[in-house]
Amino acid sequence: MMKAELNTGQRVARARRRLGWDQAQLAAAVDRSVSWVSKIETGRLPLDRMSVLGQIAEVLGVEVIELTGQPYRHESAELDSGHAAIPGLRLALQQATMPGGAALITTAVFPTLPDLTVRVEAAERLRQDAKFTALGDVLPQILRDLVVLCDVSEGEDVLRAEGLMLRASHMARVSSNLLGHHDLGWSAVQRELVAAERAESPVLQAAARWDLCGVWLHEGALGAARDMARKALDDLEPHLATDDQTVRSLWGAMHLRAAVAWSRLWDRSEAESHLTEARQAAAGVSEDGNAFQTQFNAVNAEIHSVEVSLELGHPRDVLSRAELVNIARIASGERQSHYWVCAAAGQMMNRKPALAADAILKADAIAPQHVRNRPLARNLVDDLRSTDKHSHSAEIRRLATSMKLG
């Protein structure tokens, strides 16, 4: 029988013991009770918020991924969410970020802007559908071809080529962070920042900074994410006068990044203020807005409001806000799945395991490759399989097995 991996609570205990602390010392460091620490370490209380995970990781002096156990590996290529592509993705990003990287790439067919535009758009559809294995099959070669194209582009083509490089690097960043390869996510976003500089474009700069905030949120570097969002908003504000929908979308999306960062820092006032700004911006963009893969639109603003309430630890607000989200109106499997995971966490916080089980199974049905690599979702499934207060026991056990939770 396959040995179960350590759960999050056991990893917390391991990191605490390595530091030479007892439970009382950890409790004091995070301003909690010894009983709370004991329940976390024994799995009786789930770690269902990144804000709490980040705080524990910080005081123990470890990275968040040490507590979450990422990267995870699954039993099939379909569920493994693109792990097989990581070596090729890493090499492509190394070539994209090193000086003279284009000279190291040989290609039989010279890449063109029209061809790469079509391929990037097709890859973006895979990313929004959370089909990360299929995305991993095509993304490394797209990146390599873009390295060559960006090297030879001149004039106005520089902006177009570097814009495509930014979009492709964003997909590499998302895939890497999902799988727990945060160093690779950082390499991807570095190339985005270079793209913005080369193109001399404030719009590309804003898109790259939005993604940089995403990297830092995944790593638990909340102060850095907050400060970058604030800086990016300051620099973007003068461009709002153009009434460009892309600029307005990036402005709103950056407010959503800021809202999440402040919620994980447990500052409700700041988080809600940024949500308000994002809602106002969403009123001025298309209902299906998706500038630079931000999925910035009114529905996504409300999905973020659910996440903010979850991170702040307000269970009733999670459910009341979730009820207002018309989730079918957003054309992104990843965003739909994220919503249902947050809703499931909210139901568990409200002691409603039956509804939580229903929500997490909906999330998995929509985007299994996304769900099965998310620490929050894995903690929820681990918690749900230990209770019989729902009618989905068989499905939850199967999901736990496929997640290698034992």
Side-chain angles (χ1 to χ4, degrees), residues 187-313:
S187 295
V189 84
Q190 280 183 304
R191 186 59 185 86
E192 293 183 54
L193 292 164
V194 169
E197 182 178 352
R198 288 180 178 175
E200 299 180 335
S201 165
V203 170
L204 292 190
Q205 182 184 63
R209 288 172 163 184
W210 173 81
D211 224 20
L212 176 57
C213 287
V215 171
W216 277 330
L217 287 172
H218 272 281
E219 291 182 348
L222 303 180
R226 173 202 61 203
D227 294 344
M228 175 49 68
R230 189 157 45 197
K231 168 65 173 169
L233 286 167
D234 287 343
D235 289 347
L236 195 57
E237 186 170 15
H239 300 281
L240 289 174
T242 63
D243 204 29
D244 185 306
Q245 277 217 351
T246 298
V247 172
R248 185 164 296 278
S249 292
L250 290 169
W251 167 262
M254 197 67 72
H255 275 294
L256 292 180
R257 288 287 201 230
V260 172
W262 279 111
S263 71
R264 293 182 183 179
L265 290 164
W266 296 325
D267 190 319
R268 183 176 187 174
S269 176
E270 286 285 351
E272 294 293 342
S273 175
H274 285 288
L275 275 179
T276 298
E277 292 281 356
R279 289 186 177 109
Q280 292 173 352
V285 303
S286 171
E287 186 181 71
D288 59 353
N290 188 25
F292 287 98
Q293 294 291 285
T294 59
Q295 276 292 337
F296 182 73
N297 49 56
V299 177
N300 200 15
E302 295 311 318
I303 293 173
H304 277 75
S305 77
V306 176
E307 181 179 358
V308 163
S309 292
L310 177 66
E311 294 291 359
L312 288 168

Side-chain angles (χ1 to χ4, degrees), residues 40 94 129 181 305 336 402:
I40 288 292
Q94 287 169 346
D129 290 337
H181 297 277
S305 77
Q336 291 182 6
S402 70

Side-chain angles (χ1 to χ4, degrees), residues 54-187:
Q55 183 192 30
I56 293 174
E58 183 178 9
V59 300
L60 291 177
V62 300
E63 292 183 289
V64 170
I65 56 173
E66 179 170 331
L67 302 185
T68 62
Q70 290 177 294
Y72 313 120
R73 296 304 300 262
H74 300 286
E75 294 302 310
S76 68
E78 177 60 26
L79 292 178
D80 227 14
S81 307
H83 272 291
I86 288 295
L89 199 58
R90 189 179 299 279
L91 177 59
L93 285 171
Q94 287 169 346
Q95 292 167 331
T97 53
M98 70 172 61
L104 303 176
I105 299 174
T106 57
T107 180
V109 180
F110 195 81
T112 65
L113 270 169
D115 171 63
L116 276 165
T117 299
V118 170
R119 289 161 62 194
V120 167
E121 289 173 351
E124 286 174 337
R125 290 192 289 272
L126 294 174
R127 175 258 187 273
Q128 288 297 335
D129 290 337
K131 295 179 179 178
F132 291 101
T133 296
L135 178 61
D137 288 341
V138 299
L139 188 54
Q141 187 59 52
I142 288 174
L143 284 166
R144 285 192 289 270
D145 286 346
L146 280 169
V147 172
V148 175
L149 183 65
C150 288
D151 186 61
V152 298
S153 292
E154 297 178 344
E156 293 182 0
D157 283 348
V158 172
L159 175 60
R160 296 174 61 194
E162 292 293 349
L164 289 175
M165 175 60 83
L166 184 144
R167 290 160 63 183
S169 296
H170 162 75
M171 290 184 278
R173 196 282 294 172
V174 170
S175 299
S176 300
N177 282 148
L178 173 75
L179 298 175
H181 297 277
H182 297 324
D183 62 322
L184 193 55
W186 177 251
S187 295

